[in-house]
Amino acid sequence: MAIVEKVIDASPQQVFDVLADGWTYSDWVVGTAHVRDVDDAWPRVGSQLHHRAGPWPFSLQDASTVLVCEPPHRLVLKAGLWPAGEAIVAFTLQPVGDGATRVRIGEDFAAGPLRWVHNKVNDLVLHRRNRETLARLSDIATRQKGSS
């Protein structure tokens, strides 16, 4: 499993509030081109976020499903991108000091062809993508912190 972490200058609740707003996913999840719909129950277990990923005209439509939701500390998703496969993505939020949060993202391919193509190049790409994803998540969470 590829794991990346970052300390964000916002509380766990402020960071989780961004995770709980499914409409912002295309703003901070690298590779998500467009959010098409978000279930009203998001991020309750079983709810879905419907997205398009990848560059146009090759983008694929699929959905991500919440597997675990423990606000404001943990969110686990099954992220679909068929026919390429699906991944399990786990966000863990841990308070650090006064008003900061250590955010850890772990991602592993769970099904489809991507599950069988595991090599150092893929790990490096996934690591860099998730590092940028956390940088974008940080930008949004700290911006919201300033407005609250």
Side-chain angles (χ1 to χ4, degrees), residues 74-94:
R74 191 163 176 243
L75 183 66
V76 180
L77 308 174
K78 177 174 66 175
L81 192 57
W82 287 100
E86 65 188 21
I88 302 300
V89 183
F91 295 92
T92 305
L93 288 66
Q94 176 184 22

Side-chain angles (χ1 to χ4, degrees), residues 22-98:
W23 290 105
T24 68
Y25 271 60
S26 60
D27 295 338
W28 59 271
V29 176
V30 174
T32 301
H34 176 69
V35 174
R36 298 177 292 120
D37 192 25
V38 179
D39 289 357
D40 290 339
W42 183 267
R44 271 191 266 154
V45 172
S47 62
Q48 292 190 320
L49 176 147
H50 306 270
H51 51 76
R52 187 177 328 127
W56 182 89
F58 306 107
S59 60
L60 302 171
Q61 293 188 25
D62 211 326
S64 292
T65 304
V66 177
L67 300 177
V68 176
C69 182
E70 299 168 355
H73 302 290
R74 191 163 176 243
L75 183 66
V76 180
L77 308 174
K78 177 174 66 175
L81 192 57
W82 287 100
E86 65 188 21
I88 302 300
V89 183
F91 295 92
T92 305
L93 288 66
Q94 176 184 22
V96 177
D98 188 27

Side-chain angles (χ1 to χ4, degrees), residues 119-137:
N119 60 43
K120 290 183 187 251
V121 173
N122 288 346
D123 287 349
L124 179 62
V125 169
L126 196 58
H127 180 82
R128 288 185 182 209
R129 180 182 81 91
N130 286 340
R131 192 170 62 198
E132 176 62 21
T133 289
L134 288 182
R136 294 177 185 188
L137 176 64

